[in-house]
Amino acid sequence: MKYTFEQLRIHFIEHTVSRVSRDSNAADLVIASLLNELQDELTGEEREEAKQRVQFLSSEAEKLLRSRIPHDIVSPNVGVELWGYEQIEPLSPAIYIHHHQPTQTDFDLQFQLPEGEVWAWNVVYTLTGPYFGVQNSQDGEPATRFSDLGPINFFLQTVEVLKGFAGFDLLGDLSVDNLDGFTLEFDECQTMYEALQRQGDQIGAALSQLIQGEENYQHAQELVDLWAKPLASGMKQGIAQFKRGKTIGLSK
C-alpha cells in the first residue's frame, strides 16, 4: 500500500511534537537553538519561562494535530476519550487562562483558582464557541471527569451496541467523521446516565459480546462505569464531549 506525502508529513510532525513534549532533552535542544539565534545567555528565570512556553506550544500543537489529521488515515488504535465538564459557562475575554504546569501549591489547593481564572484543560471548544467548567465541586471532588473508552474501532462497535438501548438514540450519527465536534448537552448527559443506571445489567451483557477473554462480563461492566462517570459530570449544568485520545497499544 503506497503512502501519501500528507501521511508522512503528519506523522513526522506528530512524533516531533511528541518528542519535544515528553523528552526534556528535546526541549533543551529547542532552547539551545533559540540561544544560538539570540547569541546571548538566558537568566535562570528566563530559561524556566522558555521551558514552560515550549511545553505550552507542544500542547497547542497536539491539539491542532488531533483536529487536523485527515479522518481516512486514523489509526485503529487511536483511543477515544469522553470528557464531562460540570457547570459550563461561556468563556469571555476577561477570563484569564492558566497555561502553565501546576505547582505543588496548586495541588495543595486542589487546583482552586481565584474568580475569573481557569485552567487551560477546563476550556472546551464547541461548534457554538468556547466554554469553561469547574475543576472541583464544592465538596472537593473532581468536577471534570474523563474516561478512555478504548481504540476507535472498538469504540464505534460499542456505540452501535448502545444505540440499541432506550436513551442512547442521542448518539445519533456519531462516527469517525464528526467525533471531534460531537457534544452532549447536560439534559442529554442526564438521559444517557439514567439509562445506564436502569439498564446497566442488560447493557453490560450486550457489551460483553465485544470483549474477548475471561471475565468479559466484568470488563463490560467496567466499560459501563467508564461511560457513566463523565456523563454524571456533564449532566450537572455542563456538557460531555468526545475527543481523540493518544495512540494505545491495544487492539480489540
Side-chain angles (χ1 to χ4, degrees), residues 14 28 35 66 84 108 147 157 174 186 233 244 248 251:
E14 181 179 21
D28 288 341
L35 290 173
R66 290 188 183 188
D108 294 339
S147 292
Q157 293 174 352
L174 177 59
F186 74 92
S233 286
R244 295 180 192 222
I248 54 182
S251 181

Side-chain angles (χ1 to χ4, degrees), residues 3-22:
Y3 68 88
T4 65
F5 179 74
E6 182 69 7
Q7 286 175 292
L8 186 63
R9 184 185 70 85
I10 288 170
H11 286 286
F12 176 82
I13 296 173
E14 181 179 21
H15 287 288
T16 301
V17 169
S18 177
R19 181 183 173 192
V20 173
S21 178
R22 296 177 176 82

Side-chain angles (χ1 to χ4, degrees), residues 170-224:
L170 297 170
L171 294 175
D173 60 349
L174 177 59
S175 66
V176 173
D177 292 331
N178 64 9
L179 174 66
D180 292 314
F182 205 97
T183 300
L184 297 166
E185 302 296 333
F186 74 92
D187 55 335
E188 296 173 319
C189 291
Q190 182 173 359
T191 297
M192 293 174 60
Y193 179 81
E194 291 176 350
L196 286 176
Q197 302 307 300
R198 290 194 311 270
Q199 308 171 86
D201 290 341
Q202 299 94 312
I203 292 174
L207 292 176
S208 67
Q209 304 302 310
L210 302 177
I211 300 174
Q212 299 177 353
E214 299 178 356
E215 299 181 339
N216 58 338
Y217 180 74
Q218 177 182 339
H219 292 313
Q221 287 295 332
E222 293 171 355
L223 181 59
V224 170

